[in-house]
Amino acid sequence: MINDKVRMYLLPPLFNAAVRAGASIMRVYKNLDDYDISLKDDKTPITLADRVAHKTIREYLGPTRIPILSEEGRKMRYEERRNWELYWLVDPLDGTVEFIKGNNEFTVNIALMENNVCMGAVIYVPYFEKMYIAGRDSGSYLKEHIAPDAAAEYTYDEIVRNWTPLPLAGEGPHDHPRVALSRSHQTPETREHVARLRERHPDLEIVEQGSSYKFCLLAEGRVDYYVRTTHTYEWDTAAGELILAEAGGSTRTLPDGRELFYNEEDLRNPWFVCRSKFSKI
């Protein structure tokens, strides 16, 4: 098991890789005509920002000698990764569709996986300069005013100083349940699920949001529930799931209520629902 000393050693690379990737993304974001958009095999878009963020993270985490499983390296064979004891699980730019739309709702997700269980995680929201951090059995935290920085070298002490425990004080429980939905990936099944919820909670409010930022809103306590009935991948959920769990929430598969598994042969997740610590749904 990862001990406290190793955890302290690995938190700065985890944190700084996300901040540096955020800087790479924001450089591209400011140049709309240079996004270089193409389609991956699964018909989802990829931009120059995805590629430069992947390169930034790969180069910065390389010296840790821990292998990386990334969305932009997704073709790695199962036989190569199935016996990994320790690896980084990375989505260099989560919310590419939101990035292309220019609505600022995109994130960098990095999870440290040990025996296919997330032990440490960050989600960085570069446009809003917010960093969400969690360690297994160590709590979940928000650190604000973390500007994108291509030369970020935060120390462990700087990272943990003045961070805010999650969920945030004063958030939840809400009089009207707040249900988060993907801004760009809703289906008839999503709408049917919400309709069933509304039968029991006619006063529920819908909050549309892009990327893994939804996990962060759940961890903060600002929303209560999130349902996803379209394909996601392991790198979309690992970091957010730990950040939410350490803030008192949960993620379960739909409809059977299992935990999500990682480093599977098929990297696609089943449908799932998330609940905040305050959820009454």
Side-chain angles (χ1 to χ4, degrees), residues 215 218 226 241 244-245 247-252 273-277:
F215 283 98
L218 286 156
Y226 164 40
E241 185 181 1
L244 175 57
S250 65
T251 304
R252 292 294 182 268
V273 295
C274 301
R275 293 175 174 85
S276 78
K277 178 180 181 178

Side-chain angles (χ1 to χ4, degrees), residues 12-243:
L14 180 66
F15 189 99
N16 290 318
V19 177
R20 289 178 175 224
S24 298
I25 291 166
M26 294 306 292
R27 278 199 304 272
V28 178
Y29 193 52
K30 294 171 183 175
N31 296 288
L32 179 61
D33 297 331
D34 194 29
Y35 281 8
D36 189 18
I37 302 168
S38 57
L39 290 179
K40 292 179 282 196
D41 292 344
D42 63 358
K43 307 304 183 188
T44 58
I46 182 173
T47 69
L48 176 62
D50 296 82
R51 290 187 282 267
V52 295
H54 170 74
K55 183 173 183 287
T56 298
I57 292 169
R58 188 185 68 226
E59 290 178 352
Y60 189 73
L61 292 180
T64 67
R65 312 290 290 183
I66 298 171
I68 298 173
L69 178 58
S70 169
E71 177 171 21
E72 306 319 325
R74 62 169 66 191
K75 293 182 180 178
M76 181 175 294
R77 293 167 60 242
Y78 181 57
E79 289 71 25
E80 292 180 45
R81 55 180 171 82
R82 63 184 300 178
N83 295 319
W84 284 354
E85 293 183 10
L86 198 64
Y87 64 97
W88 302 107
L89 182 56
V90 175
D91 191 343
L93 174 53
D94 186 25
T96 301
V97 172
E98 314 309 328
F99 177 90
I100 294 169
K101 289 179 178 178
N103 66 14
N104 312 326
E105 297 170 1
F106 47 86
T107 61
V108 180
N109 305 339
I110 309 179
L112 177 63
M113 309 295 290
E114 183 185 29
N115 296 320
N116 302 324
V117 174
C118 185
M119 301 302 292
V122 297
I123 292 178
Y124 182 44
V125 195
Y127 188 87
F128 299 125
E129 300 187 355
K130 290 184 173 185
M131 180 74 79
Y132 297 83
I133 311 157
R136 184 160 295 276
D137 301 322
S138 299
S140 188
Y141 304 89
L142 167 63
K143 197 166 179 68
E144 298 190 80
H145 312 300
I146 303 298
D149 181 358
E153 283 291 357
Y154 288 88
T155 65
Y156 179 84
D157 289 341
E158 288 170 336
I159 292 168
V160 303
R161 187 183 303 137
N162 298 325
W163 60 9
T164 304
L166 297 175
L168 297 175
E171 290 291 351
H174 302 116
D175 294 334
H176 307 289
R178 298 177 184 173
V179 176
L181 300 179
S182 171
R183 189 180 296 280
S184 302
H185 302 284
Q186 295 183 31
T187 66
E189 290 84 0
T190 307
R191 290 184 280 275
E192 182 181 330
H193 188 91
V194 172
R196 289 198 301 271
L197 293 178
R198 206 179 286 280
E199 290 174 2
R200 290 182 286 125
H201 304 277
D203 57 345
L204 70 79
E205 301 173 10
I206 298 298
V207 178
E208 292 189 336
Q209 187 68 233
S211 77
S212 63
Y213 194 36
K214 292 182 286 295
F215 283 98
C216 303
L217 297 178
L218 286 156
E220 286 185 354
R222 288 166 57 191
V223 298
D224 303 296
Y225 188 92
Y226 164 40
V227 57
R228 185 64 180 254
T229 59
T230 55
H231 279 312
T232 58
Y233 290 87
E234 293 183 9
W235 44 75
D236 294 316
T237 56
E241 185 181 1
L242 182 64
I243 289 166

